């Protein structure tokens, strides 16, 4: 999946094989089996291209990571304690990313308070006027794109 996410385009088994073979020896049939398993599990979709398939990720790596975190959190018998423990494990950079994410989604949450003057987050109307959509790559500086954006 890492290769499919990295390239962010339809890929063939041959392309994945050749990329993996730069790092280690691996058989074509192994890669083909893994790609087929990913298709059977619904992680990738595939389309016929000549005598081969082209595989495309069904969701982004970020969406997959979010689903894993949500699943783990929902299994906790004490979600608040799990969050406190998780936040305690975060690095300074991860906490900053969390704060950025909260600023991005907070205006869209029901019952969210109005933005305070001087707040870093733009109002939704300002974001729309600037041409960007809330929660997209436009919310990140050009040299600091969100994970898995391909920049």
């Amino acid at each position: 999946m890492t290769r499919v996410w990295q390239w962010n385009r339809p890929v063939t088994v041959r392309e994945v094989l050749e990329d993996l073979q730069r790092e280690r020896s691996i058989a074509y049939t192994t890669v083909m089996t893994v790609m087929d398993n990913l298709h059977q599990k619904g992680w990738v979709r595939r389309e016929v291209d000549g005598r081969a398939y082209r595989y495309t990720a069904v969701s982004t790596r970020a969406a997959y990571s979010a689903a894993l975190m949500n699943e783990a959190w929902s299994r906790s018998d004490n979600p608040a304690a799990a969050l406190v423990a998780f936040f305690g494990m975060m690095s300074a950079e991860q906490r900053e990313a969390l704060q950025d994410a909260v600023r991005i989604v907070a205006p869209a949450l029901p019952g969210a308070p109005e933005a305070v003057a001087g707040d870093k987050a733009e109002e939704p109307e300002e974001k729309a006027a600037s041409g960007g959509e809330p929660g997209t790559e436009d919310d990140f500086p050009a040299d600091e794109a969100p994970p898995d954006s391909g920049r």
Side-chain angles (χ1 to χ4, degrees):
M1 277 308 301
T2 298
R3 297 310 197 270
V4 177
W5 281 323
Q6 283 174 338
W7 292 330
N8 196 26
R9 63 170 175 80
V11 298
T12 64
V13 170
R14 177 75 50 202
E15 290 173 317
V16 175
L17 172 73
E18 289 171 359
D19 192 49
L20 289 171
Q21 284 180 333
R22 292 182 190 144
E23 300 169 12
R24 61 190 166 131
S25 178
I26 188 167
Y28 180 91
T29 54
T30 301
V31 178
M32 183 176 61
T33 300
V34 170
M35 296 300 285
D36 185 59
N37 288 343
L38 291 171
H39 176 257
Q40 297 300 321
K41 291 179 179 186
W43 289 34
V44 295
R45 66 178 150 267
R46 66 184 180 194
E47 295 179 7
V48 176
D49 183 13
R51 294 178 36 205
Y53 286 114
R54 287 207 171 267
Y55 294 87
T56 308
V58 170
S59 69
T60 65
R61 182 179 225 151
Y64 172 72
S65 296
L68 284 178
M69 289 187 286
N70 187 52
E71 181 181 344
W73 184 47
S74 67
R75 291 183 180 189
S76 173
D77 60 346
N78 187 341
L83 283 175
V84 169
F86 180 63
F87 295 156
M89 294 178 202
M90 291 178 147
S91 67
E93 293 81 19
Q94 289 169 323
R95 285 191 301 274
E96 188 175 326
L98 174 64
Q99 290 170 337
D100 291 343
V102 168
R103 279 193 291 273
I104 290 167
V105 300
L109 296 175
E114 294 295 321
V116 180
D119 190 356
K120 286 184 174 181
E122 291 184 18
E123 290 290 327
E125 295 81 25
E126 291 172 338
K127 181 57 74 178
S130 69
E133 292 292 325
T136 65
E137 286 188 29
D138 295 325
D139 292 317
F140 294 85
D143 62 338
E144 192 176 311
D148 302 321
S149 69
R151 288 201 268 173

